[in-house]
Every structure is written in structure tokens, then in C-alpha cells.
Amino acid sequence: MNKFYIIVALILMLCIGCEWRLKPNNEDSDAGFAVERYDRIQSLYLTTGDFSALQQMSTNYPIQTRTLIENVLKIGNVNDPEINAKFLNFYQDTTLQAIINEAEQQYANMDDINKEFTKSFDNLHKLFPSMKIPTIYAQIGSLDQSVIVGNNIVGFSLDKYLGKNYPLYKKFYSEEQRALMTRQMIVPDCILFYILSLYPLPHDRTATQQQCDIHMGKIQWIVNKVTGRKVFANKYVATVARYMKKHNGTTEHELLTLPINDNLLN
């Protein structure tokens, strides 16, 4: 499944308005950034039917729950009197139950991910001082969207990051796609699609594919820079790198807002 176009569609549907903070949930200032573990409450309900877990989902995570039910799973309206039963029944599929169990085992601990988010968001804030940083949460989908953006929140689906060798993936995804479905891609993907939501692709229908590719290359180059890793490597990222080396006074904001032009970075 093409992650890119699904995420762009959701970005256009959801409102973006994020708030700078490195300490969700009023955590101690020494704790750094912490992913909100919506997935734990979700999995508790979906594997046991625990009503208190359902109440927590509705009370503590209303936006996440609405987004999951209405925009990701597309199983109905969150206000439908029967939606809780539909939601629970949807995940009773043996494949989805196996995915839930695998996700909760692989991601029992996210210290490494929280550490990378802390470092990357600190670096992003240095490049974009006025950029507001969103809350990040983990969920479990059904092998659909990898990342969703909106309403002060970026969510990532653990079911899309179970590793390139996860047996189920081989039935649905190419080797190239599976290479991107790893733990190491969570932070880069979240940052990429968050920046894309703030600096979207041109809506002008006359924009060429190359212009769109260049724009994505700009964002990928920035993601590489803030994560300190060469996550994305392609000719457009290389082109942006050469341009920024030649024009070292250009800020990242200026780079992303340069007029669309096929020859812009030549």
C-alpha cells in the first residue's frame, strides 16, 4: 500500500495546530520526550474487552479514538451506539490479534524511540524556532496508514513497523516496502509527515512530478539533518544537499518556501 498518498489525504482532511512541548502528560522535566502509549489501552480493550479500558480510550484519548475509528479503520461514526461492538469485533480477526500481540511484545519498551524523538525535536526546534512540536502517540491499526497527522497530534501505527522480516508482511508488501517497515523508521516518518503537513506539496495541478519529488527531497534532507542519520538517500536529497552547500546562508524555512521550479535546485 502506498503510504505517501494515504497520509497526504489524511493531512488534507485533518486540522493542523500543534503545540511546542517536550514533556507530554506533565512528565518530569528530566524525562525528555515520551510517546503517549494509546496502544496499550487499545490493546487491552481489543484483547480482553475490558470496559474500563474502553472508558479510558473515550475519556483520555477522544481524538485518537475518533481518528482511528473514522479515518483509519473507517468502520463508522464514533457516536454510533453500536460502534464499540463494531470496533471490538473488527479486531477479533486472528491475524489482527496476532499483530496486536506482536506489536505489544516488540514495543514493550520505547526508551530508544523517546530518546531519538527528544534529540530530533530539539534539533528541529533549532532550525525552525517558531515551529510547534506535536504530541506523538502510538496505536495499532490494521496494516493501513503508517502515520496520521492532525489536531495537535501525530500518531504512528505499530502494526506497520514490525520489521522487514515479519512473516505477514511478505504476503502483502514488496522487499522495498518492507525495508521501510522497521523500528528505525518511526521517528523519521513521524517528523517527515509532520513537516509535510506544515509545508504541503503544491496543490497546483500543473505542478510536475519532478517538482513534487524535489519538495519531498527537501523535507527528507531536513529529516536526515535533524535525526543525524542518512535515512533517505536519493537523487533529490543529494540535489538539495548540493544546493544548501552552495547557498549556505539559506535557512530551512526558506528552502521549503522557495517557488516551485523544475530547475530550482540545478
Side-chain angles (χ1 to χ4, degrees), residues 159-223:
D159 49 289
K160 295 298 292 289
Y161 295 99
L162 298 179
K164 63 181 180 180
N165 295 321
Y166 184 55
L168 183 64
Y169 288 170
K170 296 180 180 180
K171 298 180 181 180
F172 303 106
Y173 303 100
S174 67
E175 184 176 355
E176 183 180 9
Q177 289 173 314
R178 296 198 305 272
L180 301 176
M181 300 172 73
T182 66
R183 187 183 188 101
Q184 292 72 30
M185 287 302 300
I186 289 176
V187 174
D189 278 354
C190 287
I191 294 176
L192 183 148
F193 288 112
Y194 176 61
I195 295 175
L196 180 62
S197 72
L198 301 177
Y199 296 88
L201 289 163
H203 300 309
D204 186 346
R205 295 182 181 215
T206 63
T208 67
Q209 182 61 50
Q210 179 168 303
Q211 289 169 347
C212 293
D213 290 340
I214 289 173
H215 187 73
M216 287 301 298
K218 294 176 184 179
I219 297 176
Q220 291 173 334
W221 179 81
I222 291 171
V223 172

Side-chain angles (χ1 to χ4, degrees), residues 22 33 40 68 74 116 120 142 148 182 208 230 237 255 263:
L22 284 180
F33 190 93
R40 287 177 171 168
L68 177 61
K74 296 182 173 68
E116 185 172 13
S120 298
S142 59
I148 52 177
T182 66
T208 67
K230 291 185 178 180
V237 172
L255 173 68
N263 300 316

